[in-house]
Structures are given as C-alpha cells and as structure tokens.
Amino acid sequence: MSTRPSGGRLATLLAIIASVIMLVIAPQAKLALAANGYSQGYWSVYYCYDCLPSRGGWRALQK
Amino acid sequence: MEAEAKRVLIAPAAVAVFLATDWLWVGVDFSLIALTCGATAALVLSPESRQSPWPWPDLWVIAFAASLVLSILLSGHARLSLLLSSPFIPALLIYLLLSRFVSGPRGIRLVLAGLSIGALCIAASVLLDASLQPGDPAGSIGTLAIPLLVVPNDILSRQGMVGALPVAAVLGWGVKRAYQTARRADHPERLFAAGLLGAFAAFSLASFVELTFVRYWVAIMVATLIGLTAALEQPSPPIAGV
C-alpha cells in the first residue's frame, strides 16, 4: 500500500466549507424553492406537485 | 493507544448522528450542524485511514460531480438546479468521512446503528400517523407528504448517459467489492459486506421503480453505501486498551 496521502483531508475540508455555506443559505434557498412551486416534504425532500405529468408535466419549471 | 482508538470513532459517530436524526425538523438543520461539527473534529483529531491514492470510487465520484456541475451550468434554470442539487453536499461529506476516516467493525457498527435508529423513527412516525387517520391510507401518506411518486427525475435524466454512467460505475464498484469481501472467509467483516450487498440489491431494484437524486435520502444512501464499502477495505484501527 502506498504511504502517500490521498488528499482526503483537503477534500473533507472543502466539503465542510460547502456544508457551512449550505447551512447559511438554506433558509433563503427554501424560500426560493417554495416560490417556484416546490414544497419541503419528508426527510428534506423537495417535491413539486405541479411537475407531475398529469398536471402539466415539467412546464411548471418554465415559470 | 486508547485515545487513538477513541479518535477513530469521531467520524462514524458524526455520520451515525446525522443518519439517526436527519428525519427531525425542528426549525434548524440539527443533523447537518452535527455532521459538520463532527467532520471538523475528525479532520483535526482523527488519523486518515485511507492511504492509497485514487481508489476507483473516487474517480467515478469525481466524474459524477463533474457531470452534475455541467448539468447545472447548462440548465435553463441554473439557480433551481443548484438548489435541488444541495443534497449532494452532505452526501459528499458522508462519503469522504466514511471512506477516509472510518475503519474496523466498531466504526461500521456505529454507522449502522445510526441508520437503524433513523429508519425506526421514520417507520414509527408513519405508523403513528396512519393510526391517527384510520381507514384513509392515501390521506395519511398525503399528510406526511412522502413524495413516493411525485418527484420528477430531472437531475439524472437531464444528464443522460453522462450522469448515469458514473453512478452505474460507482454502484457496480460497490457491488463488486462487497461481493468479493463477503466471499472471503478470512475477512473479519464479511457479514457487514453481505449486508451491504443486500442493501445494494434493494437500492438497485428500487431504482427500476422510482429513485431520484432530487430526494435527499437517495443521495445520502448512495454516499453511505459506497463509503461503507470503502471503509470495509481499510485495516482495522487499534483496539482500546491494547
């Protein structure tokens, strides 16, 4: 096995920074999704009933 | 040696807390805060278990991330695509923690315990809600807003083969490695590998019906399964007190 580091620490640091940014912008992001017809559902799923094919397919996203 | 044995449990504990509490919504994203704090502690205190550069799942994860970025940039609704791709951030963090900082049966058991607690809590809340609305299963599911069939497969389908190929490859890698580990009679964690193989099979079967990366848990589950498979390949850490 090689003894070289795999860069995991740097990648993890970048992912932590991304998570912190996500935590900071999450409230605004949820508002933006809600404004586009998306609702927050179970286990943090965003879903869009208007996007169902029976309700006009993906045209809701064209708004 | 005992302190080091405890430090290697920081990362699996962080992932376990995230998986056990991610169904909870109490106004703040407690689970992601816990995961981020745990990841920071692991980054500072825990030794990195993986030393081999560029393992195969890393390459495919990078390929998928690149296709995701490309998809967002080329999308007609880049901002919406970016928002809907947010589950990949904790998923990436979980994959890195599991594949880089978790090794040995104790860490893997912690992660599995977190998964089990989360699954039990979700199942209990569904049953509780169903008992409060007897005779109307559709209404019950609607109240919980479980989007079993209402989420468009827009992220993966938009990327077509460019996005599907890395996902298929990384899942294929996971199935192959879990199968090989489960077949090894001398491997101490071969039972975990057999369990992972079952999880991969269930996940793949479910994907024929309805799975989409718009769903938070799908991205989290892929990252958890691949990360655990990578963790199985790491040498076990020292045992406390030895």
Side-chain angles (χ1 to χ4, degrees):
Chain A
M1 184 179 282
S2 167
T3 54
R4 277 195 298 164
S6 63
R9 286 190 182 279
L10 178 62
T12 306
L13 177 63
L14 293 175
I16 289 171
I17 292 169
S19 297
V20 172
I21 293 171
M22 183 177 161
L23 280 169
V24 172
I25 66 166
Q28 291 90 342
K30 286 172 186 171
L31 287 175
L33 283 173
N36 281 277
Y38 283 79
S39 303
Q40 184 180 334
Y42 209 56
W43 224 24
S44 187
V45 170
Y46 289 97
Y47 58 96
C48 178
Y49 282 108
D50 288 337
C51 302
L52 281 168
S54 59
R55 299 189 63 172
W58 276 252
R59 276 177 296 181
L61 289 172
Q62 307 299 318
K63 284 191 288 188
Chain B
M1 193 65 87
E2 191 174 348
E4 188 182 342
K6 285 178 180 170
R7 284 200 298 269
V8 298
L9 292 179
I10 294 173
V15 176
V17 169
F18 178 86
L19 294 172
T21 61
D22 200 34
W23 62 281
L24 265 177
W25 285 94
V26 288
V28 292
D29 199 344
F30 166 78
S31 53
L32 185 55
I33 292 171
L35 180 70
T36 308
C37 293
T40 307
L43 190 65
V44 175
L45 299 172
S46 299
E48 192 174 344
S49 57
R50 181 178 286 277
Q51 296 294 314
S52 173
W54 299 108
W56 279 109
D58 280 3
L59 289 177
W60 290 114
V61 168
I62 290 170
F64 179 70
S67 70
L68 187 67
V69 171
L70 193 66
S71 167
I72 292 170
L73 292 176
L74 296 178
S75 168
H77 304 272
R79 189 159 165 262
L80 261 180
S81 295
L82 185 64
L83 294 176
L84 289 170
S85 303
S86 61
F88 288 103
I89 293 174
L92 177 66
L93 192 50
I94 285 175
Y95 168 72
L96 287 168
L97 285 176
L98 290 178
S99 64
R100 297 306 197 285
F101 296 99
V102 176
S103 60
R106 293 178 73 197
I108 293 171
R109 277 188 200 128
L110 259 179
V111 176
L112 294 180
L115 271 173
S116 301
I117 291 169
L120 281 173
C121 290
I122 291 172
S125 62
V126 170
L127 288 174
L128 182 67
D129 195 75
S131 70
L132 294 175
Q133 298 186 50
D136 185 17
S140 174
I141 297 297
T143 305
L144 286 170
I146 300 176
L148 285 173
L149 296 168
V150 294
V151 183
N153 288 306
D154 61 349
I155 289 185
L156 259 189
S157 62
R158 207 169 49 229
Q159 290 168 206
M161 288 305 293
V162 177
L165 185 63
V167 173
V170 83
L171 285 175
W173 175 88
V175 169
K176 182 184 169 193
R177 298 305 298 168
Y179 177 74
Q180 288 174 341
T181 307
R183 294 271 295 173
R184 278 179 54 188
D186 60 330
H187 200 288
E189 283 112 47
R190 63 182 185 280
L191 281 179
F192 289 140
L196 273 175
L197 202 56
F200 274 120
F203 188 89
S204 302
L205 282 173
S207 69
F208 281 107
V209 183
E210 223 305 305
L211 280 184
T212 166
F213 280 113
V214 173
R215 292 183 186 172
Y216 199 81
W217 69 268
V218 175
I220 298 296
M221 276 305 116
V222 170
T224 303
L225 292 178
I226 299 300
L228 281 174
T229 309
L232 278 178
E233 299 199 321
Q234 308 306 319
S236 293
I239 299 168
V242 176

